[in-house]
Amino acid sequence: MTVSDPEWRAPSEPPTPVTPVPFGKPWSIWFWGGLLSTGGFALAVAPRQVLDLLNTSVETPSLPWVRFAGLVLLAYAMGYHVAGWTGQRTYMRASVVLRVFSLVVIGAFVLADWLPKAWLAFGLLDFVGAVWTTLELQWRPKPKA
């Protein structure tokens, strides 16, 4: 791939990691990225066992799709790892909205009997993480321009 602008140069420095601030690293984002990575890896490698833990049955022809969903979850988790590393406040704020909304959606799915009640644990964990991230963002000072 070539770039049409002859003045364009690739950045010579890697992304700047989170600089030390009074509150430290955004642990809620790191933690959530780790949970998503673990869940994605588990679904990709051992989908039947994970779904048995969640009281969810799946037919054998559907297992490749469950494995694929695990890989998608791993890719999604990468966004949290990068946001935690680079201190992307915008991504963190957007994740709070998404993570609060996930409890609403999972709750609706449970009420509609589309998911077993065990899945509410994910929604509640996600909600608690969203509150944790909100508190971190309020305490963490914004970087000076």
Side-chain angles (χ1 to χ4, degrees), residues 63-125:
L63 285 178
W65 288 106
V66 176
R67 290 181 193 276
F68 179 74
L71 292 174
V72 170
L73 194 57
L74 273 170
Y76 179 57
M78 185 58 66
Y80 284 91
H81 292 298
V82 170
W85 180 254
T86 60
Q88 294 295 320
R89 296 175 63 86
T90 303
Y91 189 91
M92 292 180 207
R93 283 192 302 269
S95 81
V96 167
V97 174
L98 177 67
R99 291 158 67 195
V100 167
F101 191 61
S102 75
L103 177 60
V104 173
V105 172
I106 291 172
F109 285 2
V110 168
L111 286 175
D113 221 15
W114 293 349
L115 284 176
K117 290 179 183 171
W119 285 76
L120 279 175
F122 286 105
L124 292 171
L125 184 65

Side-chain angles (χ1 to χ4, degrees), residues 122-144:
F122 286 105
L124 292 171
L125 184 65
D126 211 358
F127 181 79
V128 168
V131 170
W132 183 11
T133 300
T134 301
L135 293 173
E136 278 189 336
L137 286 170
Q138 288 175 353
W139 193 351
R140 182 182 315 284
K142 293 181 184 176
K144 297 192 180 194

